[in-house]
Amino acid sequence: MPGRGLVLDPFPGSGPHGGAERPVRRGRIVDPESCGRLLGRIADAALGPDRSDSVIVLSHPVLAGAEHRTAARALLAGLGTTRVLVLSSARAAAAYAGPRETGPLLVVDMGAELTEVTLLVGGLVADARQAESGLDDLDGLDPAALPTALVRTVLDMITSMWRHDRHGAIRGALRKGPVLAGGGALRADVTDRIARCLGTRVRLADDPSTTVVRGAGQILSSVLRHRTAPPERSGRPR
């Protein structure tokens, strides 16, 4: 939130009967009821009971289907906010860690349960690949084998996109240097190997694991700066 930074669930992992809640898995909402409770707790902590004249930014996996996006919108609409802005996680990551200059950009997001590679051209998704595997799936591997497995997944997706790229956008994005986000980007043995294999530099935020949420926060701040409140309403947008 502008002026407050990250607002976390005040009671993380607490289900209705004391069990752990994991309403989102592999980037999809699998338990809408539990997800609604979690979002409600965060909204209470961040916005309080009066949520009118507020704006929420929702980021979703790049290849999330229409069903997932509709379910997410419905849950957020139930919070009583005025406006919901929906964008892909790749666009959010690019907003925070991407270069200021225009042109094609490659975003590699290595999360706990998903690994995504996205090509953005003019800020729009031109191509994307997703692997339903992440750091959690590699925990059982020998620590020495983890970077090899993760880097191989990323390189396979980039190679596939390269083969289907008819306009040289991937080549241009690689010259610029891909943005690396997610928990996997915290590992130097992963990021160094990706840079070496691609023969290019890589771009990292200060805290790669929060690149997406911080980028969403920047976009939210921009929306609020340029937003004009309706004349019949008073109060400060949140």
Side-chain angles (χ1 to χ4, degrees):
M1 290 184 62
R4 290 190 57 182
L6 299 181
V7 180
L8 306 178
D9 180 5
F11 305 105
S14 58
H17 306 294
E21 288 183 302
R22 291 191 62 193
V24 178
R25 298 181 184 178
R26 305 291 183 195
R28 300 182 182 90
I29 297 173
V30 296
D31 185 347
E33 183 179 349
S34 178
C35 192
R37 286 193 299 268
L38 185 150
L39 291 173
R41 292 196 299 266
I42 295 176
D44 287 340
L47 303 175
D50 181 12
R51 298 164 193 169
S52 60
D53 210 23
S54 59
V55 181
I56 289 180
V57 175
L58 165 70
S59 68
H60 58 79
V62 176
L63 295 180
E67 181 180 355
H68 167 80
R69 296 195 301 272
T70 299
R73 280 180 179 274
L75 287 170
L76 292 178
L79 298 179
T81 58
T82 301
R83 182 181 177 190
V84 175
L85 177 64
V86 180
L87 72 157
S88 70
S89 55
R91 287 184 61 197
Y96 187 68
R100 297 305 113 197
E101 66 266 21
T102 59
L105 181 67
L106 200 63
V107 178
V108 179
D109 191 347
M110 299 171 284
E113 297 184 327
L114 288 178
T115 304
E116 292 186 309
V117 177
T118 307
L119 175 65
L120 298 174
V121 178
L124 301 177
V125 176
D127 198 1
R129 299 288 187 277
Q130 182 186 86
E132 293 201 357
S133 62
L135 294 176
D136 286 356
D137 302 288
L138 302 175
D139 280 344
L141 292 179
D142 183 316
L146 187 148
T148 300
L150 184 54
V151 170
R152 175 48 54 195
T153 297
V154 170
L155 293 179
D156 285 348
M157 289 192 283
I158 293 176
T159 300
S160 174
M161 295 169 70
W162 183 296
R163 290 170 179 164
H164 291 85
D165 179 21
R166 299 180 178 178
H167 304 290
I170 287 287
R171 187 186 300 273
L174 289 176
R175 281 198 299 265
K176 187 180 299 181
V179 170
L180 304 187
L186 290 170
R187 299 183 56 118
D189 53 355
V190 170
T191 59
D192 291 348
R193 190 171 299 191
I194 289 176
R196 189 167 61 252
C197 290
L198 293 177
T200 186
R201 62 174 178 165
V202 295
R203 298 175 181 270
L204 294 169
D206 295 337
D207 180 7
S209 62
T210 59
T211 297
V212 170
V213 70
R214 292 182 187 278
Q218 283 191 348
I219 292 171
L220 172 60
S221 296
S222 178
V223 169
L224 295 183
R225 283 197 302 270
H226 294 90
R227 180 179 179 225
T228 302
E232 68 273 15
R233 289 188 178 182
S234 61
R236 184 179 179 181
R238 296 175 295 168

